[in-house]
Amino acid sequence: MKAIGPYHYKVWIIGEVLDRYENCKNGVLKPSTKLLLYPCKEKGKLFRGAYFEGAVIYAVDIENLINRLEPPLRDIIVNRYFEGDIKTFMEDFNIKSKKEARRLIVRAVNKFFNELEKYKRANKRTA
């Protein structure tokens, strides 16, 4: 089994949340649908040391969490710049420094993941 770092784990969780949220926005699922989040799995195996427990979250609550973020961080999450090439992000936001671009992306990922964790702890609905 392959070990991953905390940042990549957060990226995976956020990607899964956004995939399910987009399914609701596109009409595949109802907006009031409960979305079940589970710890990271790859090829049917849990990553060792996964710390994100199963949880239930509603699609409307995901939208509220996204809207809590400041504008540059919100754009990073909504447009999924954390999954793509950093040069695309730099061009779209007219940023010259890779270090600055990377710092903004990491900040957006950490902030949104922390919002998900706060929501999960506050609502205590487990999967």
Side-chain angles (χ1 to χ4, degrees), residues 21-74:
Y21 170 69
E22 287 168 1
N23 283 339
C24 289
K25 271 181 55 175
N26 296 334
V28 176
L29 300 171
K30 295 179 184 174
S32 61
T33 301
K34 292 180 184 179
L35 306 175
L36 303 177
L37 305 176
Y38 293 102
C40 188
K41 290 184 180 183
E42 186 175 275
K43 296 181 184 172
K45 296 180 182 177
L46 284 173
F47 281 114
R48 197 174 324 163
Y51 55 89
F52 193 95
E53 298 171 3
V56 174
I57 188 169
Y58 292 92
V60 293
D61 293 330
I62 293 171
E63 189 168 340
N64 291 337
L65 294 176
I66 290 171
N67 289 333
R68 285 186 199 169
L69 300 174
E70 303 95 46
L73 305 182
R74 183 182 318 129

Side-chain angles (χ1 to χ4, degrees), residues 47-102:
F47 281 114
R48 197 174 324 163
Y51 55 89
F52 193 95
E53 298 171 3
V56 174
I57 188 169
Y58 292 92
V60 293
D61 293 330
I62 293 171
E63 189 168 340
N64 291 337
L65 294 176
I66 290 171
N67 289 333
R68 285 186 199 169
L69 300 174
E70 303 95 46
L73 305 182
R74 183 182 318 129
D75 295 336
I76 292 168
I77 296 299
V78 169
N79 296 322
R80 294 180 173 232
Y81 285 112
F82 58 90
E83 292 179 332
D85 184 28
I86 197 165
K87 290 180 183 179
T88 305
F89 173 68
M90 291 171 64
E91 289 171 5
D92 290 353
F93 282 80
N94 200 21
I95 298 173
K96 303 288 184 217
S97 167
K98 262 190 177 179
K99 185 177 180 180
E100 178 66 19
R102 178 80 175 138

